[in-house]
Amino acid sequence: VLLASAASMEASADSAEKIKNLIAAYEKIITIEPGNYMVLCKLGEFTHLYAYIYATNKNDKAEYHLKAIKYCERAMYTNPKFKELADRGKPTWECVDVLTAKEMTAMYFWYVAIGQYWTECFNPISHLLNFYWPARANKVLKKLTALDPDWGHGRIHMAWGSAYSILPGFLGGDTKKSAEEYTKAIKIGPDSLVNYYTRAKYLHVKNGNREAFKKDLEYILSADIKKIDYDYPWSVGFQFKAKELLGDINKLF
């Protein structure tokens, strides 16, 4: 009954308040079934969604990104081989080699939560002091790629595209590789709004391509989110973020 109720809430989760209510619903379930992999993944996903889409300050973002990371680690911990390594004190990025395609969702949302925590919650000095985090996260992204590079409507290629744009050259940044990965992502997931949003926010801004930036964001805003093949809470979220980002066009270019 609780799972059915949460699924119903998820289908109409189109605001910060509704996402928080959805998180609370899944947290209620996890107190009953602490090892429920699917629910742990849902919690990892929606705490990250709240941080990325709706949180308005660094403290709020940090709190929910860290929650996402922890829930995803608990989901990975349901894998016996991962549990064995983790219980010996090995960190997540040294345990992922034993994970399987079943744990793709947990690994993916761990990766993006870590990435956004580093990107959004650290200042430039903190980036330098914590330069090792992208390399750690990269191990997880490589594992995801080895398991299924086309997973999740192109999300793995999107993640590579974002990483190549966000990171400075000495940490592996490369705008040409970024563009190639985004092209792959959109070919696989033409309805996946995250592919267009992150390309606009990271690659087009870095390249100074105002027209491409505007085109990607206007595409998101024109999408009929009730018809496209993409999760409703994320579709609503990326339309919200696209409108916000488009409003900053004159500051960015």
Side-chain angles (χ1 to χ4, degrees), residues 12-83:
S12 61
D14 58 4
S15 69
E17 183 181 4
K18 288 182 180 179
I19 292 295
K20 278 195 167 183
N21 290 339
L22 180 60
I23 292 167
Y26 279 122
E27 285 179 333
K28 188 174 182 179
I29 297 169
I30 214 64
T31 61
I32 301 167
E33 291 187 10
N36 188 313
Y37 173 79
M38 184 274 285
V39 175
L40 288 167
C41 285
K42 290 288 186 182
L43 283 165
E45 175 180 356
F46 289 114
T47 49
H48 167 63
L49 186 155
Y50 179 80
Y52 188 54
I53 302 293
Y54 296 112
T56 56
N57 61 70
K58 280 189 178 182
N59 288 338
D60 209 18
K61 283 180 178 293
E63 178 186 351
Y64 278 85
H65 281 315
L66 288 170
K67 281 185 178 183
I69 292 162
K70 293 299 182 184
Y71 280 127
C72 290
E73 287 176 342
R74 284 178 61 183
M76 295 181 217
Y77 193 74
T78 62
N79 178 297
K81 291 182 179 179
F82 182 97
K83 180 180 184 299

Side-chain angles (χ1 to χ4, degrees), residues 186-205:
I186 289 169
K187 184 177 180 181
I188 295 162
D191 288 341
S192 186
L193 302 186
V194 65
N195 296 337
Y196 303 91
Y197 177 77
T198 54
R199 185 169 69 172
K201 183 177 175 68
Y202 302 125
L203 180 61
H204 297 331
V205 169

Side-chain angles (χ1 to χ4, degrees), residues 160-180:
W160 280 111
S162 298
Y164 284 132
S165 286
I166 292 169
L167 295 174
F170 73 92
L171 288 177
D174 186 324
T175 55
K176 184 179 178 182
K177 287 183 179 178
S178 175
E180 291 170 353

Side-chain angles (χ1 to χ4, degrees), residues 142-158:
K142 284 181 176 178
K143 177 63 177 180
L144 286 162
T145 306
L147 287 170
D148 186 357
D150 297 340
W151 177 87
H153 302 279
R155 281 186 173 113
I156 307 305
H157 293 294
M158 178 281 298

